[in-house]
């Protein structure tokens, strides 16, 4: 299936340096894993408290790639992070969209769970 990059802010209720990870967010990542996807936490260049990632037990990177080798997804709360990405990296804005989000991000989801369900459905319907 696909690699799914998820900003740390998505997992921690909008806190850019981590904070506590929401249990619903952890469950959403588990759904991705159970369906054969590989979630990767994007910590950002500012770093994060390693303790915040401990409950996730997931691979982490500083930033999602601009041009991944394989098709992938990127879940973010920042519309500006959708810009400049390859078509191989489908961007999903989590939360309330602004007018500019529609032109910069590939899609919008109200929360992480909705984004995960959209990804699972899209991947299941993709030609094999």
């Amino acid at each position: 299936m696909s690699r799914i990059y998820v900003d740390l802010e998505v997992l921690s209720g909008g806190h850019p340096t981590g904070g506590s990870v929401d249990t619903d967010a952890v469950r959403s990542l588990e759904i991705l894993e159970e369906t054969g996807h590989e979630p990767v936490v994007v910590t950002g260049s500012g770093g994060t408290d390693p303790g915040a990632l401990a409950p996730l037990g997931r691979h982490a990177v500083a930033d999602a790639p601009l041009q991944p080798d394989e098709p992938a997804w990127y879940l973010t709360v920042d519309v500006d992070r959708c810009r400049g990405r390859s078509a191989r990296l489908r961007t999903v804005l989590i939360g309330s969209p602004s007018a500019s989000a529609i032109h910069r991000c590939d899609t919008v989801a109200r929360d992480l769970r909705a984004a995960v369900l959209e990804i699972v459905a899209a991947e299941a319907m993709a030609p094999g």
Side-chain angles (χ1 to χ4, degrees):
M1 289 287 180
S2 296
R3 181 171 284 176
I4 315 296
Y5 295 93
V6 184
D7 277 348
L8 185 58
E9 293 101 329
V10 172
L11 302 171
S12 60
H15 301 287
T17 57
S20 63
V21 175
D22 181 37
T23 56
D24 288 337
V26 172
R27 179 63 190 130
S28 293
L29 293 184
E30 289 170 349
I31 290 169
L32 286 173
E33 289 176 332
E34 290 166 3
T35 56
H37 296 84
E38 179 188 356
V40 177
V41 177
V42 178
T43 61
S45 60
T48 186
D49 172 13
L53 294 177
L56 300 175
R58 311 277 184 314
H59 179 65
V61 296
D63 195 11
L66 293 176
Q67 298 183 354
D69 295 333
E70 300 287 329
W73 296 77
Y74 180 31
L75 311 181
T76 184
V77 295
D78 186 348
V79 68
D80 290 332
R81 293 182 193 152
C82 294
R83 283 197 273 188
R85 306 284 176 178
S86 153
R88 296 187 84 146
L89 186 68
R90 295 201 52 203
T91 56
V92 180
L93 180 67
I94 306 296
S96 305
S98 63
S100 64
I102 296 167
H103 301 291
R104 295 184 187 159
C105 300
D106 294 313
T107 190
V108 176
R110 74 177 178 279
D111 56 25
L112 178 59
R113 182 174 173 82
V116 165
L117 294 175
E118 181 175 329
I119 290 169
V120 169
E123 293 282 326
M125 298 179 79

